[in-house]
């Protein structure tokens, strides 16, 4: 078995350490591939840990089951949050940086010892965070994701969280060195779009990490009694730089993966380099301002501060997302039309490789992120509407739509892709692999919508072990929401089974899958191969299918917006 | 070839953008400006804006103010009747000090909210219509004054929606709003 595992890190490299990927055509160096695999595998382990706790958390909130007592619920919730929102995501993101840098640019990974040190630091601190959460004892409380001061949370937790951020920074260094070397070697050349997206992801990550070190450092100083008091408002401002910033890294990394995989398995092209790159630039300047939407119903912040920041300065970042929302499907549409596969309005879409789990995962990620995550993010990010969403289960629904649906699905697609192309293993079950994105996206989508409804229509709070059938010490309860929770509970179980399917295929294929031979991966490629040129320039192709889809998206956006504002104006008068 | 994995060729910045993509940029741009303007405008003409005024006050001092207010209020079996237009509420693990309170419809009250210990979430909804709900964050060492005018008589339930400790879910209080 051990030989089988070490074998996972081997491929046939030439004497210079490079090999050419039969699917992407990229020149891949041994060093880059080894570390992409290492970080990717570690991410999957975090996903398994977080997923186990997802089950316990969901089965507690479904009060019919009522699995855990409050005394353990918050511990399990914290484990769920840290392993999925942070560890699964960040380990994947480092892998994505190594794909977006060295692999795309055809370079070796520089500073491999630093990459190794980063990985060790991240693993040790991730275990440390888990240990500190699991061993929480009164008067300390479980930190959840936010560890809001002055709630007493163990200083070990803050210390380990800081160490993890430092580890991620160390692990990202080889990526930045790659970009630096590339630009020094070829100053006049433009970076490929994927490398550019990865670079923007990296910069946003640095901003988030600095905020995180400041926030947790401040809290740690207070816990160690270097300072007498910790101000809740100061901490919240600092914390959300990382708390929301990490999720912005996820978003930008996810969009980079969208461009990459729709191209490789769907034949997508870049319909306008100028427009897509401008959208990444908008993210660079504005996306972190979106963190302000956590502070919209906090005391002591002026209305103008709230409005300017939560709008990402006139919706600069939301505009950027709407640009990608067009550019990604348009890329598929044009790519397929130039292969002669695009009859009618949606022929390019109906003829797409829906049985390819990588393509299906990416497409569902795009659709569900846009319709469920993106729209709700903007709507709940409006200062006044936020009053109806803040800290309700609807906010939990929003970030499950962005992170658990959007990013996780994209990353699942990427892991499947890596299993086939870098680990060079066949899926142990092609059927289970095909089923995975459908099962996970479908079930998680419904569970997520139920969370939103429970929050918006019944005001069910987040972060409680129970309140729906029973608020202890009161005759009042939110029992009217019980049917929603029945649907939520069932689909949460199904979504977790979808996740089990994913892990079974990914890990099972690594351990028991047949080695890929010459030509075995041809089924991943779009019809007609990766390169196709219809003779016309890209912008001259018809994009009316995408345009129609975007109009549908806009109609749903407008309807959700109007509905939420209608619900708000039904309220009694509040504020000035 | 316009592949995201390869450097773009030639003068890619001056490549024309497709007509449909330009139209979409216009629609998305107008929508972005539109929702920004609506949000900003609502602070001028709207009735629901979570702003108010904030004072720095130590938790002990705030507790003192709530207790003075409680002494001045009339204690009935339905709850406290505030002596004036001010309503003081103090959040602490795991109860709402100052609740239940008896209020009248149509009268503007200044709600003072603050915490004696950790952060809490002030989440109110009328028993009759659960979809009508608001949620505000409560800080220690801060007194937040936010005006509210209720138009429907009902019992409004307050629950904490920020994790404040193990007994968090038991944190419940009521506002009894009567016809004024
Ligand atoms: Cu509380």
């Amino acid at each position: 078995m051990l030989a089988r595992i070490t074998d996972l890190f081997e491929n046939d490299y030439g004497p210079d350490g490079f090999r050419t990927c039969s699917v992407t055509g990229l020149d891949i160096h041994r060093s880059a591939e080894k570390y992409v695999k290492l970080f990717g595998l570690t991410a999957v382990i975090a996903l398994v840990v977080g997923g186990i706790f997802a089950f316990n958390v969901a089965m507690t909130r479904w009060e019919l089951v009522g699995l855990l007592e409050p005394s353990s619920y918050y511990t399990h919730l914290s484990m769920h949050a840290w392993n999925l929102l942070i560890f699964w995501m960040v380990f994947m993101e480092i892998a994505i940086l190594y794909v977006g840098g060295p692999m795309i640019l055809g370079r070796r990974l520089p500073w491999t010892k630093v990459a190794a040190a980063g990985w060790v630091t991240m693993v040790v601190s991730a275990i440390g965070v888990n240990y500190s959460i699991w061993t929480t004892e009164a008067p300390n409380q479980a930190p959840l994701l936010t560890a809001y001061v002055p709630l007493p949370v163990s200083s070990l937790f803050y210390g380990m969280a800081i160490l993890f951020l430092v580890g991620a920074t160390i692990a990202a260094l080889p990526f930045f060195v790659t970009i630096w070397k590339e630009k020094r070697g070829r100053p006049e050349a433009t970076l490929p779009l994927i490398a550019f997206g990865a670079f923007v992801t990296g910069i946003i990550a640095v901003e988030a990490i600095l905020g995180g070190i400041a926030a947790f450092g401040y809290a740690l100083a207070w816990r160690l009694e270097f300072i007498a008091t910790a101000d809740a408002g100061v901490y919240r401002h600092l914390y959300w730089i990382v708390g929301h910033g990490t999720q912005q890294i996820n978003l930008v990394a996810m969009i980079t993966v969208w461009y990459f995989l729709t191209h490789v398995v769907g034949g997508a092209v870049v319909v306008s380099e100028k427009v897509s790159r401008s959208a990444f630039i908008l993210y660079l300047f504005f996306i972190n301002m979106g963190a302000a939407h956590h502070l919209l119903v906090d005391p002591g912040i002026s209305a103008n501060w709230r409005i300017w920041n939560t709008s990402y300065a006139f919706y600069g970042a939301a505009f950027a997302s709407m640009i990608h929302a067009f550019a990604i499907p348009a890329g598929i549409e044009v790519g397929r039309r130039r292969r002669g596969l695009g009859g009618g309005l949606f022929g390019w879409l109906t003829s797409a490789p829906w049985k390819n789990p990588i393509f299906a995962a990416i497409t569902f990620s795009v659709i569900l992120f846009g319709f469920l995550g993106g729209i709700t993010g903007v709507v709940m990010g409006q200062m006044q509407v936020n009053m109806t969403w803040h800290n309700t289960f609807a906010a939990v629904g929003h970030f499950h739509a962005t992170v658990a649906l959007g990013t996780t699905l994209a990353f699942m697609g990427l892991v499947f892709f890596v299993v086939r192309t870098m680990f060079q293993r066949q899926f142990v079950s092609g059927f289970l692999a095909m089923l995975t994105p459908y099962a996970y996206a479908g079930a998680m989508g419904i569970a997520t919508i139920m969370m939103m409804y429970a929050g918006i229509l019944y005001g069910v709070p987040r972060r409680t072990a129970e309140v729906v059938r029973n608020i202890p010490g009161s005759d009042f309860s939110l029992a009217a929401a019980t049917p929603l929770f029945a649907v939520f509970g069932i689909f949460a179980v199904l979504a977790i089974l979808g996740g089990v399917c994913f892990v079974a295929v990914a890990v099972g294929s690594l351990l028991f899958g047949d080695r890929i031979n010459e030509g075995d991966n041809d089924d991943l490629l779009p019809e007609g191969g990766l390169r196709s040129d219809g003779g016309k320039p890209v912008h001259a192709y018809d994009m009316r299918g995408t345009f129609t889809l975007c109009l549908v998206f806009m109609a749903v956006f407008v309807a959700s917006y109007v509905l939420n504002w209608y619900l708000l104006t039904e309220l009694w008068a509040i504020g000035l | 070839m316009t592949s995201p994995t390869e450097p773009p060729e030639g003068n890619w910045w001056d490549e024309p953008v497709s007509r449909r993509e330009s139209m979409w940029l216009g629609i998305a741009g107008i929508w972005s400006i539109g929702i920004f303007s609506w949000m900003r405008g609502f602070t001028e003409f709207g009735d629901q804006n979570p702003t108010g005024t904030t004072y720095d006050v130590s938790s002990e001092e705030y507790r003192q103010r709530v207790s003075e207010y409680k002494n001045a209020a009339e204690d009935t079996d339905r709850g406290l009747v505030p002596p004036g237009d001010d309503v003081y509420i103090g959040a602490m693990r795991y109860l709402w000090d100052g609740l239940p309170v008896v209020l009248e419809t149509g009268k503007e009250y200044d709600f003072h909210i603050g915490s004696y210990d950790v952060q809490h979430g002030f989440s109110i909804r009328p028993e009759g219509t659960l979809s009508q709900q608001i949620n505000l964050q409560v800080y220690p060492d801060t007194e937040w004054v936010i005006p509210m005018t209720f138009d429907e008589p009902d019992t409004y339930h307050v629950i904490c929606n920020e994790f404040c400790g193990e007994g968090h879910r038991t944190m419940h209080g009521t506002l009894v709003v009567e016809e004024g």
Side-chain angles (χ1 to χ4, degrees), chain A residues 148-149 190 194 236 270 274 297-298 300 322 384 387 390-391 455 457 459 463 466 531 571 573-575, chain B residues 2 4 6 12-13 16 24 38-39 47-49 54 119 125 131 133 135 137 139 144 147 149 162 168-169:
Chain A
Y148 284 147
V149 303
T190 309
I194 304 294
R236 284 173 69 86
V270 182
K274 173 165 72 176
V297 294
D298 283 26
M322 288 189 275
Q384 297 89 346
M387 263 194 295
H390 179 75
N391 273 350
L457 301 177
R463 304 183 152 177
E466 57 181 355
R531 287 162 183 277
L571 289 175
I574 297 149
Chain B
T2 44
E6 288 166 29
W12 52 270
W13 185 260
W24 174 250
W38 176 264
M39 173 166 62
D47 284 335
Q48 290 86 15
N49 286 289
T54 310
Q119 294 183 43
R125 79 277 289 134
S131 65
Q133 36 115 5
N135 304 279
Q137 194 75 13
Y139 283 12
W144 190 7
T149 312
E162 181 58 80
H168 160 57
R169 74 203 198 287

Side-chain angles (χ1 to χ4, degrees), chain B residues 119-120 160 162 164 168 171:
Chain B
Q119 294 183 43
H120 298 271
C160 176
E162 181 58 80
C164 56
H168 160 57
M171 198 164 155

Side-chain angles (χ1 to χ4, degrees), chain A residues 457-473:
Chain A
L457 301 177
Y458 301 98
V460 175
R462 69 191 288 192
R463 304 183 152 177
T464 50
E466 57 181 355
V467 285
V468 169
R469 290 150 72 97
N470 175 28
I471 297 177

Side-chain angles (χ1 to χ4, degrees), chain A residues 6-7 74 97 119 131 138 157 164 168 173-174 236 265 290 296 328 335 353 356 403 407 449 456 464 523 528 539 543:
Chain A
T6 50
D7 188 39
Y74 298 107
L97 290 185
W119 181 80
Y131 174 81
F157 166 80
F164 184 78
L173 285 177
R236 284 173 69 86
V265 300
L296 288 175
I328 298 282
N356 178 343
V403 183
T407 312
I449 292 171
I456 283 298
T464 50
D523 62 316
H539 62 86
M543 303 181 192

